[in-house]
Amino acid sequence: MKIFYNALLLCIILMTNQNYAYSISHDYVEEDVHIHKDPFEHFNRSMFKINQGLYKVALRPIANLYSNTVPEWGQARISDFSSNLQTPVYAVNNFLQGNIKGGFVSIFRFLFNSTIGVLGFYDIAAAKFNMPAYERDFGTTLAVYGAGDGIYLFLPIIGPTNVRDATGLVMDVFVDPATYILSNGALIAKNGLTITVAYADNYPLIDNVQNSSLDPYSVFKTLYLQKRAKEIKRAKQQVGKM
Amino acid sequence: MRKLAFYILFMFSIVGINNVTIAGEKEASDFIEGLGDEVLNILNSSGISENDKHTKLEHMFADNVDSDWIGKFALGRYARQVPEEKLSQYLSLFKEFLIRSYVSNFKKHTKETFKITSTSKQDADQFLVSTEIMRTNKKPLEVDYLVRENHGGTHPYIIIDIIAEGVSLLTTERSEFSGILSNNGIDSLISMLKEKVSSQD
């Protein structure tokens, strides 16, 4: 009888054990939000100013021209093509992170999209075979292995990053099979396409932040840090998934 | 026998509490769904001018987002140090700043639909309602709303945070203001808000 009561009590405890992932204290204390230190702030703000100039004279006009001349359907095809070119890198990083499922799905996605998907212009793998993209870069791989953010950096064209992710960016060049297959000209075109697509997708947001923020530099920094934290959390949750 | 009766009563009361939680989750979810439907109705309405649409959306935002609470949260520990008069001035400007920053974004989503993906209790009176905005030719956008029971208010719930693709409004505003406050103080922040709101007129 004692065992029965204890089991019943355990069930009650389990039923009422609430694990609140997200709640805000009603007190306005600074400890509720972690404000990331920025020891290179002076350097970063200088780079940010340079990038704002580059954005105004080159990056935004190119992104705007692309958005206004290429129809939405065409932009989606080019985006799929660009993403497909990155898929081998995603596959390698998924395996390195122990996400076996993500690694194999990435391989199948590349094979299906490159063939049935007409050289990657159609994301057939997601649309017809329910294979979503597992986008992982080497920065995420380093994070999964325990590397912290490191010092925050703002670099021209690349934008907000940190020591870990900037290192990851360089490492991705080495793990990308395209580095060893394509000519220098083709590699430049590939990277140029990636940057154009990224800015075309994001320039409305960039404009909004620039125009509506009191301190755009701080806003871009926190947007990057929060988004990155979510990506890394998701990657860590999928480690060891078969 | 008394022990058994106690345990059974206790179990029923816990089931009762869980049912109240589930009811609260449903109400929070219905609140967000209702707001979303209302926004889409306004955006897609052919009978009113763009200016009127914008005004309606601004009123909706002001009524359903707790900008005072968010504004105080953005100040962090400074919220306790700022004199009442300046706090009042700051909150009034912050409300305008928030509305003008966010409402213009709603107008970009006319061709999209949304769906509620989950709702969960976060605290005694807070719920997180997760949604996906379905976009043509693009990946769905994940937007979560943290709502709090609005005791004595016009609506049963009020939004205290919006988290789009992992980016929280509360965290963003706190981060943005913390540098300004620690380097230049509340007067500078108020002055910058005034200038920004005027420039958005």
Side-chain angles (χ1 to χ4, degrees):
Chain A
M1 212 40 157
K2 202 174 179 181
I3 293 169
F4 170 73
Y5 286 134
N6 286 337
L8 198 56
L9 192 59
L10 183 62
C11 286
I12 290 163
I13 290 166
L14 287 172
M15 278 166 67
T16 56
N17 183 27
Q18 302 285 358
N19 190 14
Y20 297 129
Y22 189 95
S23 71
I24 301 289
S25 160
H26 286 241
D27 293 326
Y28 315 110
V29 292
E30 195 153 285
E31 287 77 45
D32 280 341
V33 168
H34 169 66
I35 306 294
H36 211 89
K37 288 191 170 60
D38 192 0
F40 287 174
E41 185 172 345
H42 188 72
F43 166 81
N44 287 333
R45 282 190 183 265
S46 302
M47 293 297 108
F48 180 71
K49 260 198 187 127
I50 292 171
N51 200 62
Q52 278 187 305
L54 270 171
Y55 178 74
K56 193 175 172 184
V57 304
L59 298 169
R60 192 190 187 283
I62 293 170
N64 192 38
L65 180 68
Y66 171 83
S67 288
N68 289 330
T69 52
V70 179
E72 246 183 65
W73 178 87
Q75 288 180 42
R77 300 288 72 74
I78 293 170
S79 183
D80 284 349
F81 174 74
S82 175
S83 181
N84 193 52
L85 291 175
Q86 300 297 319
T87 305
V89 175
Y90 300 154
V92 170
N93 281 304
N94 271 291
F95 283 124
L96 286 173
Q97 291 171 27
N99 184 359
I100 310 302
K101 178 181 173 182
F104 279 113
V105 167
S106 297
I107 290 174
F108 286 127
R109 278 179 54 80
F110 184 71
L111 290 173
F112 284 143
N113 288 340
S114 302
T115 53
I116 312 167
V118 190
L119 298 177
F121 282 101
Y122 289 89
D123 191 351
I124 292 287
K128 300 291 180 196
F129 299 103
N130 200 25
M131 282 193 243
Y134 286 81
E135 293 176 1
R136 299 286 185 271
D137 54 64
F138 202 82
T140 318
T141 300
L142 290 171
V144 164
Y145 278 97
D149 290 352
I151 294 168
Y152 174 75
L153 294 169
F154 192 99
L155 302 174
I157 299 177
I158 293 167
T161 185
N162 52 45
V163 171
R164 179 199 62 213
D165 292 342
T167 307
L169 211 60
V170 173
M171 289 306 296
D172 275 332
V173 172
F174 290 104
V175 304
D176 188 357
T179 305
Y180 309 99
I181 298 168
L182 299 180
S183 65
N184 285 341
L187 273 173
I188 291 170
K190 173 182 173 285
N191 291 328
L193 179 67
T194 305
I195 291 168
T196 303
V197 168
Y199 271 94
D201 279 345
N202 290 300
Y203 85 86
L205 169 66
I206 295 171
D207 284 352
N208 185 263
V209 171
Q210 306 250 75
N211 296 333
S212 65
S213 306
L214 300 186
D215 182 8
Y217 169 83
S218 292
V219 175
F220 281 121
K221 181 176 126 195
T222 188
L223 290 184
Y224 171 76
L225 291 171
Q226 288 183 70
K227 201 159 186 315
R228 201 64 181 138
K230 183 183 174 183
E231 286 166 6
I232 288 165
K233 185 179 172 184
R234 191 174 279 174
K236 285 181 176 176
Q237 283 169 347
Q238 290 175 343
V239 169
K241 291 260 168 122
M242 299 290 290
Chain B
M1 194 60 190
R2 255 194 295 181
K3 247 189 188 171
L4 177 62
F6 166 73
Y7 277 119
I8 290 171
L9 260 171
F10 193 46
M11 200 168 78
F12 274 115
S13 68
I14 298 303
V15 168
I17 288 167
N18 276 341
N19 282 342
V20 166
T21 300
I22 291 163
E25 285 175 7
K26 187 175 182 322
E27 282 169 9
S29 171
D30 288 346
F31 167 70
I32 292 297
E33 189 160 22
L35 275 184
D37 287 341
E38 204 180 327
V39 167
L40 287 174
N41 282 341
I42 293 170
L43 289 173
N44 295 318
S45 169
S46 52
I48 53 175
S49 69
E50 288 303 312
N51 277 345
D52 284 346
K53 282 184 190 179
H54 195 88
T55 306
K56 278 180 185 267
L57 289 172
E58 284 188 345
H59 286 148
M60 262 195 78
F61 192 93
D63 286 346
N64 293 286
V65 176
D66 195 344
S67 58
D68 277 359
W69 193 89
I70 294 170
K72 285 179 191 169
F73 188 92
L75 290 180
R77 56 187 162 86
Y78 294 95
R80 297 189 219 280
Q81 299 166 13
V82 173
E84 196 57 47
E85 195 185 295
K86 283 196 181 167
L87 184 64
S88 184
Q89 187 187 13
Y90 159 76
L91 289 175
S92 171
L93 285 166
F94 180 78
K95 186 175 186 171
E96 287 302 311
F97 168 74
L98 206 62
I99 288 172
R100 284 154 207 248
S101 300
Y102 279 80
V103 169
S104 56
N105 282 325
F106 292 165
K107 288 158 51 172
K108 293 170 192 162
H109 300 293
T110 51
K111 296 177 195 169
E112 293 152 1
T113 57
F114 78 101
K115 64 176 185 181
I116 309 257
T117 53
S118 69
T119 308
S120 56
K121 190 175 170 82
Q122 299 299 308
D123 204 340
D125 59 352
Q126 293 178 18
F127 298 87
L128 189 71
V129 182
S130 299
T131 73
E132 265 183 8
I133 297 178
M134 319 304 287
R135 306 183 291 175
T136 323
N137 292 320
K138 287 184 181 175
K139 278 191 306 188
L141 199 63
E142 292 175 9
V143 183
D144 298 340
Y145 299 89
L146 186 66
V147 303
R148 192 184 62 227
E149 286 173 8
N150 192 23
H151 303 291
T154 320
H155 305 285
Y157 293 90
I158 196 156
I159 296 170
I160 59 171
D161 197 7
I162 303 171
I163 308 113
E165 291 288 315
V167 176
S168 152
L169 162 61
L170 284 179
T171 304
T172 302
E173 295 309 332
R174 172 77 75 85
S175 299
E176 186 182 11
F177 290 179
S178 77
I180 298 169
L181 285 165
S182 59
N183 291 334
N184 304 102
I186 186 69
D187 288 331
S188 181
L189 177 60
I190 288 172
S191 171
M192 289 172 83
L193 280 170
K194 224 181 255 180
E195 201 180 314
K196 183 56 71 174
V197 166
S198 305
S199 73
Q200 288 168 335
D201 276 334

